[in-house]
Amino acid sequence: MKRNIVLATVAAAALIGGGTVAAYAGSGDDGASPRQSDVRVADDRDDAPKDDTDDRDDARDDRDDARDDRDDARDDREEAAAQARGADVTAAEAIAAALERTPGTAVSAELDDDGSRVWEVTVVKADGTEHDVRVSAGDGKVLSDRRDDDGDDDGRTDLAALKGSTVDAREAAEAAAAKGTVVEIDLDDDGPAVWKAETTKGEWNVDLKSGTVTAHHDDAGQDDDRDDRDDRNDRDDD
């Protein structure tokens, strides 16, 4: 009888405080030997405030990330605008000039951001060799043509990615020009291959077959957002 009273008292204390309480009951009137009883009370009340704090922290991090993304995008637009100033030759015109000097497949064109007012156009020959062709952004004249002998297979990789495409770099640059002055056009083959254009109004994808222009979304940022959502879901499951 005395042992039962002790256990009941311990159980009540556990309900109030939460957690696990070990209770020892001595021998009672019946002379039974001493034994240990565990009273376990499941109490998740302490977890709720922690989960709420984690959710608030995640929301704050998401807002910070979004603000950083907006700041980065604004910086990119301002940098592109600075590059475009004084460039009388467009990306499409620079590509055409480079191909006239060095026939092949243009896979990129970038307006130098060092104030030199020069387009750097990469042209891949049929055998996969790459040529770096420099074109004046002032008058469209070819300044130099240098074969790239770094020994990699980037040229062949680019040609393979472009197999079956109907929109070339020059046409992609012309399409992207509807979204601002193009300062760079490049073949992006990290996923489904597209032309990626940077303009004074942002970054854009140009479809290799249709020439459709859509906003470019950074894959890394999307992966981070997905990871954040997965973390929150895991906590909810717990």
Side-chain angles (χ1 to χ4, degrees):
M1 181 63 180
K2 291 180 180 178
R3 182 179 61 218
N4 293 339
I5 294 174
V6 171
L7 289 177
T9 303
V10 171
L15 286 173
I16 295 173
T20 301
V21 178
Y24 292 86
S27 59
D29 296 338
D30 54 1
S33 60
R35 66 185 178 85
Q36 176 181 353
S37 297
D38 287 336
V39 179
R40 301 180 181 273
V41 179
D43 189 352
D44 295 332
R45 286 176 298 178
D46 291 340
D47 294 337
K50 181 178 182 299
D51 290 343
D52 290 343
T53 300
D54 289 341
D55 288 342
R56 287 194 297 271
D57 289 342
D58 287 339
R60 184 171 58 252
D61 290 342
D62 289 343
R63 290 193 298 271
D64 291 342
D65 290 342
R67 184 169 56 251
D68 290 342
D69 289 342
R70 290 193 298 271
D71 291 343
D72 290 342
R74 184 181 63 251
D75 291 343
D76 289 342
R77 291 193 299 271
E78 291 175 353
E79 181 180 344
Q83 286 178 256
R85 294 190 189 101
D88 299 323
V89 176
T90 67
E93 292 169 342
I95 291 170
L99 291 176
E100 185 176 353
R101 167 67 69 86
T102 308
T105 302
V107 296
S108 70
E110 180 179 3
L111 185 60
D112 277 351
D113 58 0
D114 58 2
S116 61
R117 294 179 58 185
V118 171
W119 283 99
E120 291 189 357
V121 183
T122 301
V123 178
V124 180
K125 307 286 282 187
D127 61 0
T129 58
E130 293 180 290
H131 286 253
D132 296 326
V133 184
R134 291 170 61 85
V135 179
S136 170
D139 56 19
K141 291 182 179 180
V142 175
L143 304 176
S144 64
D145 175 5
R146 182 179 63 85
R147 176 174 172 169
D148 188 350
D149 294 321
D150 60 8
D152 60 33
D153 292 327
D154 289 347
R156 288 188 175 88
T157 300
D158 289 339
L159 291 180
L162 287 170
K163 187 176 181 180
S165 65
T166 57
V167 177
D168 60 25
R170 182 185 61 81
E171 294 167 332
E174 289 178 338
K179 301 296 186 179
T181 302
V182 177
V183 296
E184 182 178 357
I185 187 81
D186 187 26
L187 179 63
D188 184 353
D189 58 357
D190 288 341
V194 294
W195 291 110
K196 177 184 173 184
E198 182 179 351
T199 78
T200 51
K201 295 183 179 179
E203 295 183 341
W204 311 89
N205 291 340
V206 182
D207 189 89
L208 294 181
K209 293 185 176 180
S210 67
T212 302
V213 180
T214 56
H216 174 79
H217 297 290
D218 181 60
D219 291 337
Q222 290 178 331
D223 290 341
D224 290 342
D225 291 342
R226 186 160 51 247
D227 291 341
D228 290 341
R229 290 194 297 271
D230 290 342
D231 290 341
R232 285 195 292 271
N233 291 335
D234 290 341
R235 285 200 302 274
D236 291 342
D237 291 339
D238 294 339

